[in-house]
């Protein structure tokens, strides 16, 4: 990987060092995300037994850290080195890669709006699939508990979705103490209690629906997410617009620096 390098005073110094500083932050964040992901996998023994990755029936949250960290690491590296070394190949790679990500985000947004019912069904399938694997992975368990606690929900569309889990279902063959129950994250909070009662959901689904409402949240996470999205639409839209503007700004800066490098290259050819 090579590129022509020119005297620092021959190209836009402000743009060059702004791109470098901007991307080194993202590169360091990418390193942090990857470090957290690798640490989590080492704690679960995945690094010593790679085949265990396929053992989970649900989503492993560590994958999110790996993907986000990997993308940030590659983009940050290309932007930093490309700007510092005035390497046209790395700057083009940075610009094109960022453009592809922006296009994919835009496409995903349009498709999510057009096929919102399909997205809703896929979200239900995703949550139910993870309910089945609730006890299989501590990270997944923590993610589900956080989601149910934050949105005050239980299951994809209601507490009965926990019948999908072998520990919580109400079948006669289930010998688990958690039979016909729900995780503690489904329980309504008692302000007077300082310590979380992890057994608050035991046998709760064996009771009537009206009685259940006293102890647990009976609304599903899918409708609660839709409600949250409607209530915070301005904030969510603002975040996505801000990210999009940052990406466009990064592409413009990279293209500007590339133009400076190409201009210097051409002037050198004629001297």
């Amino acid at each position: 990987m090579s590129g022509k390098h020119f005297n620092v005073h021959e190209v836009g110094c402000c743009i060059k060092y702004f791109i470098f500083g901007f991307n080194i932050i993202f590169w360091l964040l990418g390193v942090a995300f990857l470090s957290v992901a690798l640490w989590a996998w080492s704690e679960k023994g995945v690094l010593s037994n790679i085949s265990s990755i396929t053992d989970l029936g649900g989503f492993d949250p560590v994958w999110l850290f790996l993907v986000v960290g990997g993308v940030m690491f590659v983009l940050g590296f290309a932007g930093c080195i490309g700007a510092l070394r005035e390497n046209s190949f790395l700057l083009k790679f940075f610009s094109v890669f960022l453009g592809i990500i922006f296009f994919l985000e835009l496409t995903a947004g349009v498709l999510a709006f057009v096929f919102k019912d399909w997205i809703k069904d896929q979200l239900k399938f995703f949550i139910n699939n993870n309910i089945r694997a609730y006890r299989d992975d501590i990270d997944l368990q923590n993610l589900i508990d956080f989601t149910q606690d934050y949105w005050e929900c239980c299951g994809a569309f209601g507490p009965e979705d926990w019948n999908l889990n072998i520990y919580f279902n109400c079948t006669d063959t289930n010998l688990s103490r958690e039979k016909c129950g729900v995780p503690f994250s489904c329980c309504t909070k008692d302000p007077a209690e300082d310590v979380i009662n992890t057994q608050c959901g035991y046998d709760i689904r064996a009771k009537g629906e009206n009685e259940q409402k006293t102890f647990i949240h009976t609304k599903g996470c899918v409708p609660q997410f839709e409600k949250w999205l409607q209530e915070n639409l301005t904030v969510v839209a603002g975040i996505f617009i801000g990210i999009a503007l940052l990406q466009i700004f990064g592409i413009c800066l990279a293209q500007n620096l590339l133009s400076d490098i190409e201009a210097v290259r051409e002037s050198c050819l004629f001297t």
Side-chain angles (χ1 to χ4, degrees):
M1 196 183 299
S2 63
K4 278 193 175 181
H5 310 297
F6 306 100
N7 189 290
V8 71
H9 300 294
E10 295 176 340
V11 294
C13 294
C14 290
I15 296 175
K16 173 179 174 178
Y17 289 110
F18 187 85
I19 292 176
F20 173 77
F22 184 76
N23 279 281
I24 201 168
I25 295 171
F26 282 95
W27 182 78
L28 291 172
L29 284 173
V31 172
F33 271 83
L34 288 173
S35 299
V36 169
L38 292 174
W39 171 79
W41 266 4
S42 68
E43 287 292 304
K44 292 189 287 187
V46 172
L47 296 181
S48 58
N49 181 20
I50 300 299
S51 62
S52 61
I53 293 175
T54 59
D55 291 344
L56 285 179
F59 170 71
D60 188 347
V62 177
W63 280 108
L64 185 62
F65 281 86
L66 280 173
V67 172
V68 173
V71 170
M72 292 178 73
F73 180 87
V74 171
L75 272 179
F77 176 82
C80 284
I81 305 302
L84 189 64
R85 303 292 297 169
E86 298 167 21
N87 189 302
S88 55
F89 175 82
L90 285 176
L91 285 171
K92 286 177 182 177
F93 173 81
F94 169 78
S95 184
V96 170
F97 201 169
L98 205 57
I100 291 171
I101 292 173
F102 174 75
F103 176 76
L104 289 175
E105 290 170 348
L106 187 63
T107 304
V110 173
L111 291 176
F113 178 77
V114 175
F115 300 104
K116 53 187 175 183
D117 291 333
W118 180 84
I119 296 293
K120 187 176 179 180
D121 291 337
Q122 292 303 306
L123 183 60
K124 176 186 176 182
F125 174 79
F126 174 78
I127 294 174
N128 285 340
N129 196 42
N130 287 309
I131 283 174
R132 291 187 184 93
Y134 177 75
R135 292 294 189 201
D136 296 343
D137 182 79
I138 188 63
D139 292 327
L140 175 63
Q141 185 175 313
N142 289 335
L143 178 63
I144 293 173
D145 285 334
F146 171 79
T147 302
Q148 292 190 145
D149 181 60
Y150 182 78
W151 280 321
E152 298 183 345
C153 59
C154 193
F157 282 92
E160 291 305 312
D161 288 330
W162 281 98
N163 266 329
L164 295 169
N165 188 277
I166 59 172
Y167 298 100
F168 294 99
N169 67 53
C170 291
T171 57
D172 294 333
T173 55
N174 185 11
L175 301 178
S176 170
R177 178 62 189 88
E178 295 175 306
K179 176 183 177 180
C180 250
V182 292
F184 71 91
S185 53
C186 286
C187 298
T188 55
K189 289 182 178 178
D190 185 352
E193 290 185 355
D194 294 328
V195 180
I196 297 174
N197 179 10
T198 57
Q199 299 180 0
C200 59
Y202 283 17
D203 305 315
I204 192 67
R205 287 189 296 111
K207 300 177 182 179
E209 187 175 341
N210 290 331
E211 193 175 356
Q212 288 182 27
K213 291 180 180 178
T214 308
F215 300 99
I216 64 170
H217 303 294
T218 55
K219 294 180 180 178
C221 291
V222 174
Q224 285 294 89
F225 173 70
E226 289 178 331
K227 180 184 176 183
W228 177 87
L229 202 58
Q230 290 174 355
E231 292 175 349
N232 297 274
L233 191 60
T234 305
V235 176
V236 174
I239 291 172
F240 278 103
I241 290 171
I243 292 171
L245 289 175
L246 277 175
Q247 291 172 328
I248 294 170
F249 185 59
I251 293 170
C252 291
L253 285 177
Q255 289 298 318
N256 219 328
L257 185 56
L258 273 169
S259 298
D260 281 357
I261 293 172
E262 293 297 329
V264 173
R265 180 179 296 169
E266 288 178 6
S267 67
C268 288
L269 289 174
F270 289 104
T271 55

